[in-house]
Amino acid sequence: MRQVSVSRFVPRSKPTVFRRLAPEAMVRYEGSFDVRGVRDEGAETVVVVGARGVEFALRFESIEDGLRYEQDGEAGPFESMETVVAVDPDDGGVTVTARSSVALGLPFPSLTDRLAAWKRRGELERALDALAADVANA
């Protein structure tokens, strides 16, 4: 399992950023998958995502300072994937940090999990850039 972390300063208030941290929005911000369905399960939201012949679910939950989500079940590109997006007050705005742990469950995990983490870092950087652009227009 590999871990990656990316952060962005966003010159907006915490409530403004929180309003944009919806499960479907995070999937769109990451840019790798399309939202194919959403179901509310009380404290959690399950988002079915897919692209080019693959479809799987992500399970989201709101946490005190942001959002936590993981691949739901074994259907999907990862053996396991968990991400936490935290919004912390900062001078003149907030710092948004996305931390993700990924494992592919393939042979040679030192190589395959490193590649998965590299791809995941790109998704998280794209997501935080898109979030920052989205709230800039709010």
Side-chain angles (χ1 to χ4, degrees), residues 6-108:
V6 297
S7 295
R8 292 286 182 279
F9 175 77
V10 179
R12 294 287 189 254
S13 70
K14 191 171 182 176
T16 298
V17 173
F18 259 56
R19 281 192 294 276
R20 300 287 196 230
L21 274 185
E24 304 94 311
M26 282 305 300
V27 172
R28 283 193 310 274
Y29 292 156
E30 286 183 14
S32 293
F33 298 100
D34 298 319
V35 174
R36 297 199 172 156
V38 178
R39 69 179 183 268
D40 186 19
E41 295 187 355
E44 298 179 328
T45 301
V46 176
V47 179
V48 177
V49 302
R52 295 183 306 276
V54 65
E55 186 172 282
F56 62 100
L58 297 171
R59 184 170 293 276
F60 288 80
E61 67 176 316
S62 293
I63 57 175
E64 183 177 341
D65 59 348
L67 195 63
R68 180 190 164 282
Y69 57 105
E70 64 187 356
Q71 180 177 293
D72 188 26
E74 295 180 14
F78 302 105
E79 177 181 65
S80 65
M81 185 281 295
E82 178 182 352
T83 301
V84 173
V85 181
V87 181
D88 295 307
D90 204 342
D91 288 338
V94 298
T95 295
V96 183
T97 302
R99 290 181 180 88
S100 194
S101 299
V102 295
L104 290 177
L106 296 174
F108 307 108

